[in-house]
Structure formats: structure tokens, C-alpha cells
Amino acid sequence: MSNEAPVYGGQALLEGVMFGGKEHTVTAIRRNDDSIEYYYAKKPKKPLFQKLKKIPFLRGVIALIESSGLGAKHLQFSSDRYDINPGEEDENEPETSKLQMILGVAVVGVISFLFGKFVFTLVPVFIAELFSPWISGKFPQIFLETLFKLILLLGYLYIVSMTPIIKRVFQYHGAEHKVINCYESGLELTVENVQKQSRLHYRCGSSFILFTVIIGMFVYFFFPTDPLWLRVVIRILLIPVVLGISFEVLQATNAVRGIPVLKYLGYPGLWLQLLTTKEPKDEMVEVAIASFKKLHEVEKNPELAMELHHD
């Protein structure tokens, strides 16, 4: 592929896949009657955000906030419809929470992301502090904190991957990666070609999550760990810093993935994807291909978006 070719990202959903380009996002989901249904959302164009996204280290935080809000819309569409027979959507309409009524789905998605990040960041701090009578000192405590963070991450992913519904989401995650790998290889998007591709990808959000753990450890070395209250405050204040640096590292590992030695920098993230992706079935790949192709159709003719489900 040319370096100037558009870059696409995606997100696995309940019985479907979302793909997004520079301006548009499209979801395809498999319905109970085996049909494929689509949802469209245009990427927000806020002038301030567009300017901030041009600033290194800050652009990653902005991109994450945007993707969390936008992804929440697509996830709600899939969760509202994937297990309901076509035509029965209205009578099975789920109750909207008061928080969603007040703030909207996108804002709730951002809040959920930030809350999860706070929990993931702070819980290991308190666990590591429990071991301070035996393992004390700045560097040992930071290593211990990072170890517990890794255990929490891997344990959580392993447990949720054992549930049938999440296992299928992880299969769609694999289908999403395979489609992007096939596209970036310049091959025709057929089920056969896509299934031959790797289910791992350097730009995956799973890799990003692991990088936040590793990068966070090195950033924390520059700050005190005592007393505990100060450590907690510092961890909270450093969340956007760690996110910003991790985003740049993710982009860098993707840029050098074709260089023999430097390609190994992204391997830890790829190893984590062995947990967050599963080999998809052919019918799952069909949905992912349909989503990607529909996105291309919308990019060529934006008016087609009005024919899809949208807000």
C-alpha cells in the first residue's frame, strides 16, 4: 500500500463490526434472520478538537475521547438490535437510563472510558501499598504496581474471553483485523483472502492498553510514591500524559513494523491480542467485509449514508 493511502480503524461489536475513515463510520451487524443491517455516524468536526489533534502527545488524548464517544453510539446500536427479530425493535425498545437521557450516548461512552481508566490506574496502587511493609522504596513499589496492573489486565481479559458473548465479540475483533490486513496488503476483499490474513494488527487498541502499562511505569519513575495520597493524586494527573505518550508509541511501532529489527517493538501488543482476538467464522468475516465495503461506498457517495440507520 502507498503511504498516502487512507488509514482505517475499527471496533468489534455485538454480532458486528464498525469501520471508520477520516470522516465517516459505518457498522454492519448480523440480525437474527441472517440479514445484515447497517448504522452510520459522521465523525464530529469540532474546530478546537481539530486543532488539538495536530499537536503531538495531545492528539492521542483527543482521539481517544472522540473514539470512545463515537464507539458508544455504534455499540448501543448493535446491543439494541443484534438479538431482536427485524420488525420487533420498537416493542422491545430498552429503557434509556437517566444519565443517557441527560448527557447522550456519546458522553456516557466517554465517562465510561474515563471511569475504567481511573479504576485500572488506581486499584494497583492500593494493592501495591498493602505490600509496603515487605516491599518498600520507590522503584520496588512502582515495579510491584506495574506487575499488579498487568495481572489485573491479563486476568480480566482471560476471564471475560471465556464468556460466550465476549468470545464472539473477540472473533469479530479478529475479523476486523483480518479485513484491514487484507486491504493494506492490496488484496481483493473476499472471505477466502481475508481468512488467510493475521488476526493481529499493530494499530490495535489492545496494543495501546498494554503500552499504557509499560509507558506508565517509566513515567512514574520521575515522581514520588510517598505519601500514598500524593501518589494517588499524581497517578490521576498523569493519566492524560501516559495516554498521550502511549498513543505516540503505538503510532511509531506501526510506522516501523516493516523494519526487520524495529518491528519487534510492537510485539508485546501483538501478544496481548492473542487474548483479545479469536479466529472468526466465515459468516463473521462476511459481516466485516460488508461493513468495510459499505464505508467505502459512503466515502464515494456521502448521500448513501441517509439510507442507513443514523442519528
Side-chain angles (χ1 to χ4, degrees), residues 7 15 37 67 70 80 88 92 112 143 181 184 220 224 240:
V7 175
E15 296 302 327
E37 192 168 16
S67 63
L70 195 59
D80 286 350
E88 298 180 357
N92 289 279
S112 299
F143 279 121
N181 283 328
E184 293 181 344
Y220 299 157

Side-chain angles (χ1 to χ4, degrees), residues 249-277:
V249 171
L250 180 69
Q251 299 301 311
T253 57
N254 180 66
V256 301
R257 62 179 173 169
I259 301 176
V261 177
L262 297 180
K263 69 178 183 180
Y264 296 111
L265 294 174
Y267 271 38
L270 297 181
W271 294 334
L272 183 62
Q273 290 175 43
L274 294 174
L275 271 179
T276 62
T277 65

Side-chain angles (χ1 to χ4, degrees), residues 95-166:
E95 292 186 12
T96 302
S97 69
K98 291 184 178 180
L99 185 60
Q100 287 187 2
M101 290 177 61
I102 297 172
L103 301 176
V105 176
V107 176
V108 171
V110 173
I111 292 175
S112 299
F113 166 76
L114 293 176
F115 176 76
K117 183 57 184 171
F118 270 63
V119 172
F120 181 71
T121 299
L122 297 182
V123 168
V125 172
F126 292 108
I127 297 177
E129 178 66 19
L130 294 176
F131 287 81
S132 59
W134 305 278
I135 304 176
S136 59
K138 177 179 178 179
F139 293 103
Q141 271 288 301
I142 291 176
F143 279 121
L144 192 61
E145 178 184 338
T146 303
L147 175 62
F148 285 128
K149 193 175 293 185
L150 282 172
I151 293 173
L152 182 65
L153 172 63
L154 297 177
Y156 170 77
L157 290 175
Y158 177 75
I159 291 173
V160 299
S161 70
M162 302 296 286
T163 63
I165 190 169
I166 299 301

Side-chain angles (χ1 to χ4, degrees), residues 21-144:
K22 186 176 181 180
E23 297 181 3
H24 310 278
T25 59
V26 171
T27 277
I29 62 170
R30 178 81 71 181
R31 300 300 302 273
N32 278 352
D33 63 350
D34 208 37
S35 64
I36 295 178
E37 192 168 16
Y38 300 94
Y39 172 79
Y40 167 81
K42 187 176 180 63
K43 285 191 171 182
K45 290 290 184 181
K46 299 179 180 179
L48 177 60
F49 275 21
Q50 295 306 307
K51 292 179 180 179
L52 294 178
K53 285 170 68 174
K54 296 179 181 179
I55 304 175
F57 299 104
L58 188 57
R59 61 187 176 184
V61 178
I62 301 301
L64 283 169
I65 292 175
E66 282 191 341
S67 63
S68 297
L70 195 59
K73 291 184 177 181
H74 288 271
L75 182 58
Q76 174 150 345
F77 173 79
S78 69
S79 63
D80 286 350
R81 307 173 83 86
Y82 82 98
D83 61 345
I84 298 177
N85 293 323
E88 298 180 357
E89 292 86 358
D90 291 338
E91 59 188 73
N92 289 279
E93 195 72 29
E95 292 186 12
T96 302
S97 69
K98 291 184 178 180
L99 185 60
Q100 287 187 2
M101 290 177 61
I102 297 172
L103 301 176
V105 176
V107 176
V108 171
V110 173
I111 292 175
S112 299
F113 166 76
L114 293 176
F115 176 76
K117 183 57 184 171
F118 270 63
V119 172
F120 181 71
T121 299
L122 297 182
V123 168
V125 172
F126 292 108
I127 297 177
E129 178 66 19
L130 294 176
F131 287 81
S132 59
W134 305 278
I135 304 176
S136 59
K138 177 179 178 179
F139 293 103
Q141 271 288 301
I142 291 176
F143 279 121
L144 192 61

